[in-house]
C-alpha cells in the first residue's frame, strides 16, 4: 500500500475511534494486531471514549509514525487504581506497520509516569 494510503488509513482509524466507544468489532476493522486490540480495550475500560490526537504523521513503506496525544477522563479501574474522574492528556509516539489495509504491528513509547502523576497516584517533582 502506498505511503499516502497508509496515512489515510491511520487518519480514518483515529477519526473513527476518537471520542466514541471502541467495541472489538469496530477495532477489528482497522487492526489485526492482537496486542494493539488488547491495549485499546484496556484503555477504553479505564478511559471510556478517549481520544487520540495526531500532531504529526510520517509514512514510509509499510510504516506510519505518529506523534500524538492521548486524552481522556479516568472513569474505570486501571491496574488496581480506582477511577479518579480526572482528565489526563499524555503525549506519545507510535509506529504502525500496515499490511493488507490493516494495522498488523505497532511499537509505542509513552511516559506512563506522566499519566500516573496527572491522575494523582504518583508523586510529581517539586
Amino acid at each position: 500500500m502506498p505511503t499516502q494510503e497508509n496515512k489515510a488509513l491511520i487518519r480514518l482509524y483515529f477519526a473513527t475511534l476518537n471520542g466514541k466507544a471502541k467495541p472489538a468489532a469496530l477495532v477489528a476493522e482497522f487492526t489485526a494486531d492482537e496486542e494493539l486490540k488488547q491495549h485499546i480495550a484496556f484503555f477504553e475500560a479505564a478511559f471510556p471514549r478517549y481520544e487520540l490526537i495526531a500532531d504529526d504523521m510520517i509514512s514510509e513503506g509499510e510504516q506510519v509514525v505518529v506523534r500524538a496525544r492521548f486524552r481522556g477522563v479516568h472513569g474505570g479501574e486501571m491496574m488496581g487504581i480506582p477511577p479518579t474522574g480526572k482528565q489526563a492528556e499524555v503525549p506519545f509516539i507510535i509506529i504502525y506497520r500496515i499490511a493488507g489495509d490493516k494495522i498488523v504491528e505497532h511499537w509505542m513509547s509513552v511516559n506512563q509516569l506522566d499519566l500516573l502523576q496527572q491522575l494523582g497516584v504518583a508523586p510529581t517533582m517539586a
Side-chain angles (χ1 to χ4, degrees):
M1 178 183 273
T3 59
Q4 293 305 314
E5 290 177 18
N6 286 343
K7 285 170 74 173
L9 174 70
I10 298 302
R11 282 189 195 100
L12 180 60
Y13 164 69
F14 274 39
T16 301
L17 298 179
N18 270 348
K20 302 174 186 115
K22 296 158 188 65
L26 181 59
V27 171
E29 290 180 28
F30 292 94
T31 184
D33 180 344
E34 291 303 319
E35 185 180 328
L36 182 58
K37 289 177 184 179
Q38 291 173 9
H39 178 81
I40 292 167
F42 173 83
F43 274 93
E44 180 64 17
F47 294 86
R49 301 177 184 271
Y50 69 83
E51 296 178 272
L52 301 176
I53 301 102
D55 294 314
D56 287 310
M57 195 176 297
I58 301 166
S59 182
E60 184 173 321
E62 293 183 323
Q63 295 181 336
V64 179
V65 179
V66 184
R67 182 180 65 84
R69 292 170 283 137
F70 164 91
R71 180 171 45 209
V73 174
H74 184 215
E77 184 273 332
M78 178 182 74
M79 302 181 301
I81 302 166
T84 63
K86 293 183 178 181
Q87 181 163 327
E89 183 169 312
V90 182
F92 67 97
I93 294 177
I94 189 163
I95 302 169
Y96 298 105
R97 187 170 73 80
I98 313 294
D101 294 334
K102 286 194 177 196
I103 299 165
V104 295
E105 205 169 10
H106 79 287
W107 303 268
M108 183 169 33
S109 180
V110 63
N111 185 339
Q112 294 175 353
L113 178 59
D114 185 22
L115 173 60
L116 296 174
Q117 288 172 330
Q118 289 183 47
L119 297 180
V121 297
T124 58
M125 299 299 288

